[in-house]
C-alpha cells in the first residue's frame, strides 16, 4: 500500500513536470536561457530550505555526504541543464524527445550495473513498452526523424548525467534525507550555472530589467512548484522505491507535456499521440511493479478463500 501511495504521488509530480515543459518554453523565449535557469533553480533551492526548516529537517552534511551533494549538483543540475540547452539548439525537437525518452530505460540499465538492482522480466517489458510509447508520441509531431548530429550527442549526455544523478541519489539516501540533498544540490548547482551564465550570457543580468511581470510569475511558479516541490518529491521517491522504479514514471511527462502545450500554447493533440500514451501507461503499470503488486494481492486473496472455514 505504501508503494501505491508513492506511485500516485509520482503521477501527480509528472502532471506538474509535464505542464512545466510549455512553461519553460515561455520562459526561455522571454529570458536569456542560462541566466533564467540559474535564477529558477536558485529560487527552487531557497524554497526547499524554507520548507525543510519549517519541519526542522535541515542539518549540516557529513564529509561523505558533501561528496554526494557536489557530484549530484554537477550531474543533476549543471551537466544535465547545460548539455540539454546546447543539444536542443543543434538537433530537432523530435530527436531530442526520442533520446530523452530513453531516460527510464537508461536508468534501469545503470541501476542494474551499479546498484545490482536486477529488474524482473515483467518490469523489463514495461520499460520497453514505455520507451516505445515515447517514440510513437514524439514522432506523432510529424516533423520526421533527422540524422545523427552533435546535438543528439549533447542530449544523450544530458539524459546520461541525469540517470547517473538518480543512482547517486539512491546511494546518498541511505544516510541523507533526499529532500535535504535536493536543497543542497539546487543551491550549489544554481550558483555554478550563474557563473556559467556570466561567461556565456554577459548581458543576462541587464536583460532582466526588460522582462515583464507576467514572465516573472511564470519563472516563480516553475521554480517553486515544478523544480522545488517536484524534485523534493521525486528524489524522496527514489530513496523509497529505487532509481529504476521511480524513473519509469518519467514517461508520463510526454503525455502531460502534450496536455500542457495544448492548454497554454494552443498546440494540437493528434490521435497518434493518444496511441502512444496507451503504451506509456502500460509501461508505467508494468515497469513500476504495480502489476506485480496487484497480482500478488490477487493470489493472497485466493489463498485466504481456500483456507477459510466453510
Amino acid at each position: 500500500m505504501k508503494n501505491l501511495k508513492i506511485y500516485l504521488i509520482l503521477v501527480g509530480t509528472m502532471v506538474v513536470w509535464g505542464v512545466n515543459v510549455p512553461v519553460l518554453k515561455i520562459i526561455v523565449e522571454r529570458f536569456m536561457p542560462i541566466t533564467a535557469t540559474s535564477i529558477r533553480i536558485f529560487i527552487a533551492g531557497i524554497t526547499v530550505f524554507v520548507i525543510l526548516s519549517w519541519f526542522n529537517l535541515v542539518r549540516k552534511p557529513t564529509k561523505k555526504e558533501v561528496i554526494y551533494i557536489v557530484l549530484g549538483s554537477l550531474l543533476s543540475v549543471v551537466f544535465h541543464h547545460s548539455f540539454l540547452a546546447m543539444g536542443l539548439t543543434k538537433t530537432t525537437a523530435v530527436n531530442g524527445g526520442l533520446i530523452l525518452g530513453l531516460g527510464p530505460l537508461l536508468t534501469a540499465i545503470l541501476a542494474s550495473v551499479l546498484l545490482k538492482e536486477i529488474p524482473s522480466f515483467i518490469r523489463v517489458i514495461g520499460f520497453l513498452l514505455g520507451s516505445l510509447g515515447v517514440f510513437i508520441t514524439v514522432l506523432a509531431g510529424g516533423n520526421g526523424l533527422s540524422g545523427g548530429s552533435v546535438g543528439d550527442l549533447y542530449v544523450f549526455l544530458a539524459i546520461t548525467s541525469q540517470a547517473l544523478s538518480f543512482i547517486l541519489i539512491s546511494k546518498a539516501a541511505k544516510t541523507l534525507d533526499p529532500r535535504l540533498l535536493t536543497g543542497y544540490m539546487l543551491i550549489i548547482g544554481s550558483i555554478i550555472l550563474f557563473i556559467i551564465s556570466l561567461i556565456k550570457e554577459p548581458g543576462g543580468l541587464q536583460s532582466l530589467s526588460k522582462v515583464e511581470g507576467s514572465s516573472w510569475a511564470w519563472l516563480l511558479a516553475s521554480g517553486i512548484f515544478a523544480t522545488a516541490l517536484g524534485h523534493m518529491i521525486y528524489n524522496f521517491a527514489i530513496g523509497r522505491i529505487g532509481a529504476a522504479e521511480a524513473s519509469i514514471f518519467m514517461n508520463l511527462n510526454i503525455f502531460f507535456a502534450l496536455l500542457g502545450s495544448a492548454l497554454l500554447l494552443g498546440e494540437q493533440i493528434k490521435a497518434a499521440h493518444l496511441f502512444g500514451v496507451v503504451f506509456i501507461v502500460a509501461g508505467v503499470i508494468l515497469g513500476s511493479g504495480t502489476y506485480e503488486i496487484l497480482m500478488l494481492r490477487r493470489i493472497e486473496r485466493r489463498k485466504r478463500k481456500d483456507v477459510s472455514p466453510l
Side-chain angles (χ1 to χ4, degrees):
M1 181 61 70
K2 289 183 179 180
N3 280 5
L4 287 177
K5 289 180 179 178
I6 292 177
Y7 296 160
L8 291 175
I9 292 172
L10 279 172
V11 171
T13 303
M14 294 307 113
V15 173
V16 176
W17 279 3
V19 174
N20 190 51
V21 172
V23 171
L24 288 178
K25 184 174 181 180
I26 293 172
I27 291 172
V28 296
E29 288 176 349
R30 302 178 183 180
F31 291 85
M32 287 195 173
I34 302 178
T35 301
T37 300
S38 66
I39 294 173
R40 175 173 58 85
I41 295 175
F42 184 75
I43 291 171
I46 295 298
T47 302
V48 170
F49 273 105
V50 169
I51 294 172
L52 295 181
S53 296
W54 181 267
F55 293 101
N56 295 318
L57 293 175
V58 177
R59 68 169 176 83
K60 183 179 178 180
T62 65
K63 291 182 179 180
K64 183 178 180 180
E65 290 168 347
V66 168
I67 296 175
Y68 284 128
I69 290 170
V70 173
L71 289 176
S73 300
L74 292 173
L75 289 170
S76 181
V77 181
V78 180
F79 292 162
H80 174 67
H81 287 282
S82 297
F83 281 130
L84 187 59
M86 290 188 295
L88 293 178
T89 60
K90 297 179 182 296
T91 188
T92 64
V94 172
N95 280 29
L98 288 174
I99 297 169
L100 289 174
L102 292 173
L105 188 59
L106 181 59
T107 303
I109 293 172
L110 290 174
S112 299
V113 174
L114 300 177
L115 300 179
K116 309 301 180 184
E117 295 180 0
I118 309 300
S120 64
F121 176 75
I122 290 178
R123 295 195 184 197
V124 171
I125 295 299
F127 281 110
L128 294 175
L129 284 176
S131 298
L132 177 60
V134 171
F135 291 171
I136 293 173
T137 304
V138 176
L139 286 173
N143 295 323
L145 185 63
S146 67
S149 67
V150 67
D152 295 339
L153 175 61
Y154 285 150
V155 175
F156 181 76
L157 290 175
I159 199 63
T160 301
S161 63
Q162 186 181 55
L164 286 171
S165 75
F166 293 157
I167 304 300
L168 191 72
I169 291 167
S170 183
K171 292 176 68 69
K174 295 177 181 178
T175 62
L176 182 63
D177 189 316
R179 294 164 293 187
L180 181 57
L181 173 63
T182 301
Y184 281 121
M185 285 168 47
L186 291 173
I187 291 293
I188 294 175
S190 66
I191 292 173
I192 297 174
L193 274 178
F194 181 70
I195 294 173
I196 294 174
S197 74
L198 294 177
I199 300 171
K200 292 281 189 179
E201 300 171 351
L205 288 178
Q206 290 82 351
S207 68
L208 297 178
S209 61
K210 302 177 182 178
V211 179
E212 58 186 14
S214 61
S215 300
W216 282 104
W218 286 118
L219 186 71
L220 284 170
S222 176
I224 294 172
F225 296 104
T227 308
L229 297 179
H231 280 84
M232 278 181 66
I233 293 170
Y234 187 81
N235 291 342
F236 177 77
I238 289 177
R240 288 296 183 91
I241 64 177
E245 195 169 328
S247 69
I248 188 66
F249 286 87
M250 293 186 69
N251 283 330
L252 292 174
N253 272 349
I254 299 293
F255 172 60
F256 293 120
L258 285 172
L259 289 180
S261 297
L263 292 172
L264 298 177
L265 303 177
E267 295 185 1
Q268 183 182 7
I269 297 179
K270 302 179 181 179
H273 288 139
L274 301 179
F275 182 64
V277 168
V278 173
F279 286 93
I280 291 174
V281 173
V284 170
I285 292 173
L286 297 178
S288 66
T290 302
Y291 175 81
E292 292 171 314
I293 292 173
L294 293 175
M295 288 300 100
L296 285 174
R297 288 186 176 181
R298 186 175 181 182
I299 293 172
E300 289 175 357
R301 284 198 297 268
R302 284 184 177 179
K303 287 181 178 180
R304 286 197 294 268
K305 287 181 180 180
D306 292 338
V307 297
S308 62
L310 295 175

